[in-house]
Amino acid sequence: MFVALGSKATVRAQGALEVEEDGSSWARTMVEGVATTMAASAFTACVNDLCEMCPVRTSCPVRAEGRQVIE
């Protein structure tokens, strides 16, 4: 069921994810990749379209204002 404005919610059918013969899928690959990254002791800063909305941009080494004072 989907949340809707007003009083009428809709129900939409969603097919199962396509799974390869080895049991993998694009969703599993993405979730496992994110889990591996989040479990790491360090993160690589990457410039992307969301940089301007990032809540930690003032401490990000990719941005001038986030770099260390002494390098």
Side-chain angles (χ1 to χ4, degrees), residues 3-4 8 15-16 21-22 24 26-28 32-33 38-39 42-43 45-48 52-53 55-57 61 68:
V3 176
K8 294 193 177 196
E21 288 181 22
D22 64 358
S24 66
W26 66 268
R28 178 180 294 278
E32 288 175 348
M38 295 304 295
F43 299 96
C46 301
V47 176
N48 62 63
E52 292 302 317
M53 295 182 286
V56 295
R57 65 184 173 271
Q68 294 181 0

Side-chain angles (χ1 to χ4, degrees), residues 20-52:
E20 302 297 327
E21 288 181 22
D22 64 358
S24 66
S25 69
W26 66 268
R28 178 180 294 278
T29 301
M30 180 173 37
V31 169
E32 288 175 348
V34 169
T36 300
T37 300
M38 295 304 295
S41 60
F43 299 96
T44 302
C46 301
V47 176
N48 62 63
D49 295 340
L50 301 175
C51 285
E52 292 302 317

